[in-house]
Amino acid sequence: MRLATLRNEPDSAQPSAAQPFAFKLSNVTVAYRSYQERPSSLKETVIRFMRTGKMKHYSTFDALNDVSLEINKGTVLGIIGSNGSGKSTLLKVMAQVLKPTQGRVVVNGSVSSLIELGVGFDPELNAVENIFLNGSLHKKSNADIKSRVDHILEFAELHDFARTPIKYFSSGMAARLGFAVAIDINPDILIVDEILAVGDERFQAKCSTVFQNFLKSGKTIIIVSHDMSMLEHTAREIVLLSRGKIVFRGDPHHAIGMYRDKSYETALQG
Amino acid sequence: MSSVSQTSAISFVPDFFVQMYGYREYLKQSVLRDLRNKYKRSFLGYIWTMLHPLAMMSVLAVVFSHIMRVPVKDYAVFLFAGLLPWNYFNSTALMSLHTIRANARLFSQIPVPKYIFILSLTFSNLANLLFALVPLLIISIVMGRGVPLTALAFPIVLIPLFLTVVGISLILATSNVFFDDTLHLAEVGLNMLYFMSPVLFHRELLPGWITQYLVLNPLFCQIEFVRNIFYDGVLPDPQVFAINLCGAAFVLFLGLFIFRKSEDKFLYFL
């Protein structure tokens, strides 16, 4: 078991074995700068400075606003919310690729994430080269990756396309490869974004078998999805996000009900 | 509310080398990939790639030795020995501008230290530098000079050059994330640096008072080191080398410092 706060932390003290959480987010805020107001070139920055005498000239909006969340090991957590509610930002923070503006993230275990379909691949490279690229970025040795290539291709059902550059893949093929690579890392925590919606029924059945095995071995899955019926079946609890805040956490049925009748929006304004 | 703790002030320098070792598999893979792309897996591809710098160099050699009549013996060797380190620096600095954007897909999914991508670029270009040695040696032999034994010191002479190149590339790459017109400034800066470095001329052609300032440019001495061992057949002055190595280490430190301070914000801007 490994404790990693955001990556590169030198002081990764080992947690006691009894610690039951997979994620602990404390007061996490992610403030994006409004894109329209942000000067993107030195020229604009200098001109703006000459005109207004201000270096900083942008407003921020909080994609996540003071979110605290503790997720237990061995659970399936669904995250729902309308577009722009902060779901993807939350996933990125959990996947440790986005450092929050404020707050603390503690991760207990290794994480593998599938945040956007097909990302994490170089479109110019073929499937095998991408498997090596991905593995090496996870600090795996050459021999280690080599021994897994066949298994990954087989799971993704892409043996016939092993030498085809990813850019010629259909989105389904790329997603299958992404899924196969992500689960092959055998992480303690799997973070997925809409991945279940890809592939045909047979592939989806395969995915859910993998998920079941995952859960049996006490691992944690975090899913963002708009597919409510899927979430109702798979998730043990659901977090409902709205405007960067958690408005509800708990029973899936209740959360989906709330999400559908939009009652939380008025509750938030009141 | 505590923000996620920063790595302490100095530890990021040793950390850099630890990470370089940790990601050696990725670095190896990506250097091989770049070489394969460049030389198209064939000897002919290699010759073809060498034609461009050779032709460029021949133009300069003819202009400066026969038309401008620079009083330097075997000017072609003199020039080529200076161009090797310069081209390494120049091309890496310019290519580093795109590195972060080009790899955003990878680091938005996999948590990696982002300077790994800059390192991979510097190593790729280092490999190209080694390949470009062959024409230099051939020219030296064809012109009847032979290759001095001091050429064996090349790996040691490369160390300060490598550190400088990484440091400057880190700074330029960071700047380009925030200001996408960095290229214009970088081009002007590099052009200035080109004429402040002894690529085309011999330091003895300059008035002493200018040289006294020009040696403050780390590249000035690094280019001379390479020229010392391949053209003059002498080893660099140990004292000058030691001072230069410290300067190069400082450039790396500065680059790492700036990069590490800003890298967490990259995803907010890309």
Side-chain angles (χ1 to χ4, degrees):
Chain A
M1 190 160 56
R2 181 176 71 93
L3 173 100
T5 46
L6 276 177
R7 52 159 209 75
N8 285 343
E9 285 293 297
D11 53 332
S12 44
Q14 296 295 314
S16 69
Q19 221 154 12
F21 72 87
F23 275 108
K24 196 186 256 174
L25 279 71
S26 332
N27 309 98
V28 167
T29 295
V30 173
Y32 285 112
R33 291 172 185 186
S34 301
Y35 190 76
Q36 312 88 306
E37 294 179 45
R38 181 174 67 79
S40 61
S41 67
L42 204 56
K43 188 168 84 182
E44 287 169 54
T45 312
V46 170
I47 291 172
R48 183 160 275 160
F49 178 71
M50 305 271 253
R51 277 216 195 124
T52 63
K54 276 186 221 152
M55 277 305 274
K56 292 191 173 176
H57 194 86
Y58 49 81
S59 54
T60 58
F61 88 98
D62 295 340
L64 288 180
N65 188 350
D66 201 21
V67 167
S68 295
L69 181 64
E70 192 174 321
I71 301 169
N72 291 333
K73 271 179 170 275
T75 190
V76 184
L77 180 86
I79 301 174
I80 59 175
S82 44
N83 288 329
S85 57
K87 302 186 297 287
S88 296
T89 307
L90 183 57
L91 283 199
K92 281 184 182 156
V93 167
M94 289 196 209
Q96 302 164 81
V97 292
L98 186 70
K99 194 169 175 174
T101 323
Q102 275 183 316
R104 214 179 140 71
V105 182
V106 183
V107 185
N108 188 3
S110 60
V111 181
S112 181
S113 56
L114 265 171
I115 293 185
E116 286 153 43
L117 296 184
V119 307
F121 291 136
D122 184 333
E124 299 295 326
L125 300 180
N126 67 37
V128 173
E129 287 166 333
N130 264 304
I131 293 171
F132 272 93
L133 174 73
N134 206 290
S136 63
L137 280 176
H138 281 102
K139 291 194 182 180
K140 292 195 164 191
S141 74
N142 207 17
D144 221 11
I145 306 169
K146 216 174 239 166
S147 67
R148 303 300 301 166
V149 167
D150 274 331
H151 182 259
I152 295 174
L153 286 174
E154 194 188 321
F155 186 90
E157 298 165 15
L158 288 170
H159 253 306
D160 299 340
F161 301 95
R163 303 281 164 194
T164 310
I166 301 275
K167 62 180 170 183
Y168 300 123
F169 275 23
S170 71
S171 56
M173 288 157 78
R176 258 154 42 207
L177 184 63
F179 187 80
V181 167
I183 55 152
D184 195 73
I185 292 161
N186 198 19
D188 301 323
I189 303 160
L190 184 67
I191 299 181
V192 283
D193 190 353
E194 289 290 0
I195 191 71
L196 294 173
V198 257
D200 48 23
E201 272 185 1
R202 208 165 48 86
F203 188 73
Q204 287 195 25
K206 218 151 99 178
C207 293
S208 65
T209 316
V210 171
F211 275 18
Q212 295 310 322
N213 292 338
F214 241 74
L215 289 172
K216 266 182 214 149
S217 46
K219 297 181 172 188
T220 315
I221 301 177
I222 291 162
I223 312 173
V224 160
S225 185
H226 288 289
D227 182 352
M228 297 301 151
S229 59
M230 182 276 291
L231 278 178
E232 205 164 4
H233 288 117
T234 20
R236 300 218 182 125
E237 51 178 344
I238 283 185
V239 163
L240 174 59
L241 278 177
S242 178
R243 294 177 209 180
K245 280 186 175 296
I246 295 177
V247 282
F248 176 80
R249 180 198 177 163
D251 174 54
H253 189 72
H254 188 102
I256 292 168
M258 258 179 99
Y259 173 69
R260 286 207 169 121
D261 69 16
K262 306 274 177 212
S263 60
Y264 62 94
E265 281 183 0
T266 43
L268 208 64
Q269 273 154 9
Chain B
M1 168 183 339
S2 79
S3 85
V4 177
S5 64
Q6 294 276 323
T7 355
S8 69
I10 328 243
S11 76
F12 66 77
V13 179
D15 188 52
F16 172 76
F17 292 101
V18 171
Q19 298 285 4
M20 194 196 296
Y21 181 74
Y23 284 96
R24 62 193 179 284
E25 191 59 45
Y26 169 73
L27 293 172
K28 197 180 94 194
Q29 296 285 341
S30 63
V31 168
L32 288 174
R33 179 192 67 206
D34 289 349
L35 291 181
R36 274 199 298 266
N37 281 344
K38 190 158 182 180
Y39 301 124
K40 302 291 172 211
R41 301 167 205 250
S42 76
F43 183 62
L44 209 65
Y46 168 68
I47 303 228
W48 188 258
T49 315
M50 285 303 135
L51 278 179
H52 176 255
L54 274 175
M56 295 291 281
M57 193 211 62
S58 311
V59 171
L60 287 173
V62 169
V63 168
F64 281 92
S65 62
H66 294 283
I67 301 173
M68 313 269 287
R69 298 190 180 278
V70 179
V72 175
K73 193 170 169 279
D74 293 335
Y75 186 71
V77 178
F78 173 87
L79 178 68
F80 205 174
L83 273 175
L84 274 188
W86 170 260
N87 283 343
Y88 173 48
F89 172 78
N90 188 50
S91 58
T92 313
L94 285 175
M95 288 161 84
S96 74
L97 294 172
H98 312 289
T99 308
I100 297 302
R101 236 166 257 277
N103 289 291
R105 289 160 69 93
L106 291 175
F107 65 70
S108 67
Q109 176 137 346
I110 307 168
V112 288
K114 299 173 188 65
Y115 51 60
I116 286 300
F117 302 110
I118 305 282
L119 264 177
S120 125
L121 169 72
T122 5
F123 277 118
S124 285
N125 284 345
L126 190 64
N128 289 324
L129 167 64
L130 297 179
F131 278 115
L133 269 185
V134 178
L136 171 66
L137 301 181
I138 291 175
I139 291 175
S140 300
I141 293 165
V142 167
M143 293 184 80
R145 302 176 53 90
V147 179
L149 257 181
T150 45
L152 292 175
F154 192 51
I156 296 163
V157 164
L158 276 181
I159 296 170
L161 179 63
F162 177 80
L163 300 181
T164 310
V165 169
V166 176
I168 298 289
S169 300
L170 286 171
I171 296 171
L172 288 176
T174 306
S175 169
N176 201 50
V177 172
F178 302 111
F179 308 114
D180 51 23
D181 58 350
T182 302
L183 175 67
H184 302 301
L185 270 166
E187 276 176 338
V188 176
L190 287 169
N191 211 1
M192 255 168 63
L193 214 53
Y194 181 58
F195 288 104
M196 282 161 61
S197 306
V199 180
L200 295 173
F201 52 83
H202 198 286
R203 72 187 295 175
E204 279 162 14
L205 292 178
L206 297 172
W209 66 271
I210 293 187
T211 319
Q212 165 191 341
Y213 292 107
L214 288 183
V215 290
L216 293 175
N217 162 15
L219 268 180
F220 189 96
C221 296
Q222 284 154 14
I223 288 169
E224 290 216 313
F225 296 158
V226 175
R227 190 168 275 154
N228 283 348
I229 61 170
F230 285 109
Y231 178 78
D232 303 321
V234 295
L235 290 172
D237 178 62
Q239 201 184 343
V240 175
F241 187 79
I243 295 171
N244 187 269
L245 193 59
C246 293
F250 178 72
V251 174
L252 175 71
F253 172 83
L254 197 69
L256 275 177
F257 181 75
I258 292 173
F259 193 86
R260 290 299 299 268
K261 263 223 155 342
S262 347
E263 69 170 333
D264 293 331
K265 290 185 223 138
F266 285 177
L267 267 191
Y268 292 67
F269 282 81
L270 292 169

